Structure formats: structure tokens, C-alpha cells
Amino acid sequence: MHIPFIDLKAQYKSIKPEMDAAISEIIENSSFVQGDAVKGFEEAYAQAIGVNHCVAVANGTDALVVSLKALGIGIGDEVIVPANSFIATSEAVTLVGAKVVFVDSHPDTYSINTEKIEEKINAKTKAIIVVHLYGIPSDMDSVMEIAEKNNLFVIEDAAQAHLAEYKTTNGKWKKVGSFGDLATFSFYPGKNLGAYGDAGAILTNNEELARKTRMYANHGRISKYDHEFEGINSRMDGIQGAVLGVKLKYLKAWTQKRRKAADYYISRLQSINDIKIPIINENYRPVWHLFVIRTDKRDELLNYLKNKGISVGIHYPIALPNLKAYKYLNHLLSDFPVANSYQGKILSLPIFPEITKEQQDYIIDAIYEFFNK
Ligand SMILES: *Cc1c(COP(=O)(O)O)cnc(C)c1O
């Protein structure tokens, strides 16, 4: 049996007539950049996350860059980012001229370890970027408390966490992306809400930041040629707005299916002593962008599963501070013990809304076979 890592073809098949009509309409109206479909999606997405403003941009990396720019972060500033993430998170900081300051991962959630943040704060620190990695919320109560105490901005990189929820200490469930000064989302095709190309968004409750980010992403203007400052071209395409508008209607149902698949993995894999399954705090509702296990025999298991036709991944094989790109920071392996120990143990199993019980059983049985050999 061949099992893909995600199955975008199956998803397209399930919504084909509606999707084809939405895309045709964009082409017939020649509304290729921004336009009504993008505007409609912005409104619907802001409502889905529970914030006042959504600014559609060209991709999730730009969403981070534009957010940092709108906060006035640049040369001489420092920004705290987690040691385990996709490089876009830290890249954006360098791109605006600021210094990347890594913080180690939390041993259970894989997100930033909030107990390690304060020791990295100094007079130059301007912001914390938290990443709701794998679709598991970061500890937002702690992050917001630290930010408030130290007068720092918070950007949530929610590229992997569309509709994930976090219960605050006052007992209220809120969607991730509604906590920080700004939140960024990616709609890269493989993300939980994926476009048919690159796309991203910035969410905020702050009207001034919404205005600034919208202008920065469109050459520093609101209307045609009244450029108030220099910005970049990072607008969302009309076709992507239409695609996302259609898909957003199904996101809740697709998320439920991901949760069901994750629950099934957990129920069957928890008895294998050689595997660590995700530990989820009862105040978190993850959306399972990735289902990540840990094992000391990671590379052997990876090859075993690949030979059985199962597509697996590693997210990410090299923790950010260990990448060549960050050699200049001269970090030691002992600086980030959790991220460094996990990079050789983590393995992402296939998870997507359309995954069947038969496919999951095939994967799980293969894992049992491997450990019983
Ligand atoms: C995908 C991703 C991004 C970047 O998004 P793009 O749309 O690919 O630019 C940023 N941060 C994280 C955590 C991601 O997973």
C-alpha cells in the first residue's frame, strides 16, 4: 500500500465543482490581484479566528516580515524566537535587520519553553515570536504575562495552527492568533488551510497595525498612487482568495477529522514503550498539522516505514540554531538541550482529513512490526 503524507488530490475531488466555479469566476472577471474574493476571505477569516482585522498577503513569510516592519522593529533590536521551527520564523527577523535570539523548546508541546524566555530578555529585546508548532498551541498565558511585564510585542506565528484553541486561566477558550499584537498565517498548499499556490495573512485587533500592515504589503499605500512610505508588493492573488474562501467553509469539519485521526494514533500507539506520543495539556485543542512521535530508533523506523510505502517526514531535521545559516551565532549544542536532543528523534506520521482507518491501521501495524522484530 502507498500512503501519501498528505492527500491534496482527494481533498480537491471532494469539492471540485464548487472550486472550479469559484476559480472560473476570478478568471472571467480578471480580478487577479486582491479584489472581492480576497476581501470576502479576509472578512470570513477574521471572523473564524475571532479578531477584528485580517490583511491578506502573498505568503506566511511575508506576513512575518510585514508584521515586524509595522511594529517598527529593525537594526539594533532583538527578537526572541523558538529554536525549533521552520526557518521562516527567524529569517523574517534577520530580514528586517534585527537580531535573532533563540529559546529552547518545551519538552512536551515542542513550542517555545516559556520558562527560558526571560533569561534572554535585555534592553534591546523588542518582541517575542511564538510558533504554535505542529498545530499545538503555545502557552499563551505565560507568553502574554512575560511580554506585558517586559513591555514586549508578541507575534504569533500560527502558520501551522488554523483554528487551534487555547483555554486562558480565566476559563475562556480562544483561537490562537487572537492573543498577540499580531498573528501570521500561511496558506501554503500543505497547511491545514491551503491555497493553490502561495498565500498568507496577518491578523490583529489593533486598527493602526491593520492599517500599517495593509499599506506596507502594498507599496506603502491605500489608494492608487499616494505612497506614504516605501513598502513591498505582498498582495494575495484573486484566485487564492477564491480558493481559500471555498475551503474555509470546510475547515472546521476537516479539523475534526484530523482530531479523530490523531486520537486513533494516540489510542493505538500509546502502549509502545519505545515511542513517545504527543502529550496534550487539557487546556489546549490542537489541530494536528503534524502528528509527531519520538523514538531513539528514528532513522531505522523511518526507513522501515518508507520501504512499506508510507510517506513520513521530519519537522525539522536540524534545529534552527544548528543550521549553517546561523553558524555566525556560534551556539553550542548545550545551549538548546531539548531542541538538540529532539532533532534526531522526531518523526512525523501521515495525517490529513481524508486519511482512512485502513491507512492508519497499515501505518500503526508497520510500527508494531518494527518494534517487535
Ligand atoms: C509554513 C510556515 C511559515 C512560512 O509560510 P510560507 O507561506 O511558506 O511563507 C512560517 N512559519 C511556520 C511555522 C511555517 O510552518
Side-chain angles (χ1 to χ4, degrees):
M1 200 189 302
H2 168 71
I3 302 179
F5 193 64
I6 53 166
D7 196 345
L8 294 178
K9 284 181 195 158
Q11 193 187 64
Y12 173 57
K13 263 190 210 153
S14 73
I15 51 172
K16 185 173 173 0
E18 194 183 354
M19 188 57 91
D20 291 355
I23 293 172
S24 289
E25 202 183 314
I26 298 294
I27 299 170
E28 271 161 31
N29 296 332
S30 305
S31 47
F32 295 115
V33 179
Q34 296 184 321
D36 289 345
V38 171
K39 199 159 172 250
F41 171 71
E42 286 179 333
E43 283 162 15
Y45 199 62
Q47 195 174 13
I49 304 301
V51 300
N52 294 335
H53 308 279
C54 170
V55 177
V57 295
N59 58 70
T61 309
D62 280 0
L64 286 161
V65 173
V66 172
S67 294
L68 289 162
K69 277 284 185 187
L71 293 172
I73 292 170
I75 294 166
D77 297 332
E78 295 189 1
V79 178
I80 287 172
V81 302
N84 184 23
S85 183
F86 179 61
I87 192 170
T89 313
S90 47
E91 208 173 34
V93 173
T94 312
L95 217 81
V96 301
K99 185 181 176 217
V100 176
V101 178
F102 292 114
V103 168
D104 203 7
S105 314
H106 187 283
D108 294 337
T109 65
Y110 299 99
S111 285
I112 197 163
N113 185 344
T114 53
E115 285 174 18
K116 305 275 180 196
I117 293 179
E118 285 198 284
E119 65 199 56
K120 300 285 177 84
I121 295 174
N122 62 46
K124 292 179 181 168
T125 313
K126 288 289 168 348
I128 305 169
I129 304 181
V130 292
V131 182
H132 306 296
L133 200 70
Y134 309 154
I136 304 170
S138 299
D139 177 3
M140 289 316 293
D141 278 331
S142 304
V143 171
M144 296 314 290
E145 194 186 311
I146 293 164
E148 214 160 288
K149 197 172 126 194
N150 295 281
N151 201 19
L152 305 177
F153 295 116
V154 173
I155 299 174
E156 295 176 74
D157 179 346
Q160 304 188 357
H162 319 71
L163 302 190
E165 288 176 277
Y166 175 90
K167 193 166 138 192
T168 61
T169 41
N170 61 24
K172 225 176 116 192
W173 284 98
K174 285 174 67 178
K175 301 263 170 25
V176 307
S178 65
F179 290 86
D181 296 281
L182 294 150
T184 63
F185 285 85
S186 166
F187 306 118
Y188 178 77
K191 299 287 160 81
N192 288 25
L193 178 59
Y196 288 176
D198 278 313
I202 298 164
L203 276 80
T204 182
N205 280 317
N206 183 316
E207 198 176 337
E208 181 57 17
L209 287 176
R211 198 183 75 92
K212 271 195 198 158
T213 50
R214 189 175 292 286
M215 289 177 78
Y216 192 83
N218 191 17
H219 302 293
R221 68 182 166 189
I222 291 287
S223 52
K224 202 125 198 191
Y225 293 115
D226 58 342
H227 309 274
E228 276 182 34
F229 51 85
E230 289 178 322
I232 58 170
N233 171 4
S234 183
R235 299 171 301 226
M236 187 187 279
D237 289 343
I239 286 178
Q240 305 313 341
V243 167
L244 292 168
V246 170
K247 283 198 180 187
L248 180 57
K249 293 187 267 177
Y250 300 94
L251 186 59
K252 216 167 144 185
W254 288 338
T255 301
Q256 285 312 115
K257 289 183 176 177
R258 282 178 184 272
R259 287 181 173 142
K260 203 171 154 217
D263 287 346
Y264 189 56
Y265 272 137
I266 290 171
S267 73
R268 287 204 56 200
L269 293 176
Q270 62 189 354
S271 56
I272 304 179
N273 290 329
D274 293 295
I275 283 182
K276 298 273 185 290
I277 53 166
I279 298 171
I280 303 300
N281 184 308
E282 59 183 15
N283 297 323
Y284 298 176
R285 281 192 195 129
V287 291
W288 304 106
H289 174 58
L290 296 169
F291 188 89
V292 176
I293 59 170
R294 291 198 312 278
T295 170
D296 292 335
K297 299 189 184 120
R298 197 271 310 276
D299 292 336
E300 296 98 307
L301 177 61
L302 181 145
N303 285 326
Y304 189 81
L305 296 178
K306 277 194 172 163
N307 287 333
K308 293 237 156 199
I310 301 164
S311 305
V312 290
I314 303 172
H315 301 87
Y316 295 87
I318 305 173
L320 293 176
N322 301 333
L323 288 172
K324 256 191 216 143
Y326 295 107
K327 213 169 167 209
Y328 69 94
L329 290 172
N330 293 315
H331 280 304
L332 303 171
L333 282 174
S334 54
D335 292 342
F336 309 100
V338 176
N340 286 327
S341 121
Y342 283 9
Q343 69 177 18
K345 296 181 180 178
I346 47 179
L347 183 68
S348 311
L349 301 180
I351 191 160
F352 46 90
E354 301 77 14
I355 196 167
T356 63
K357 187 164 174 293
E358 289 67 38
Q359 288 175 316
Q360 281 194 284
D361 280 330
Y362 182 78
I363 297 162
I364 295 161
D365 291 346
I367 296 172
Y368 269 92
E369 268 166 40
F370 173 80
F371 285 108
N372 289 335
K373 265 190 298 139

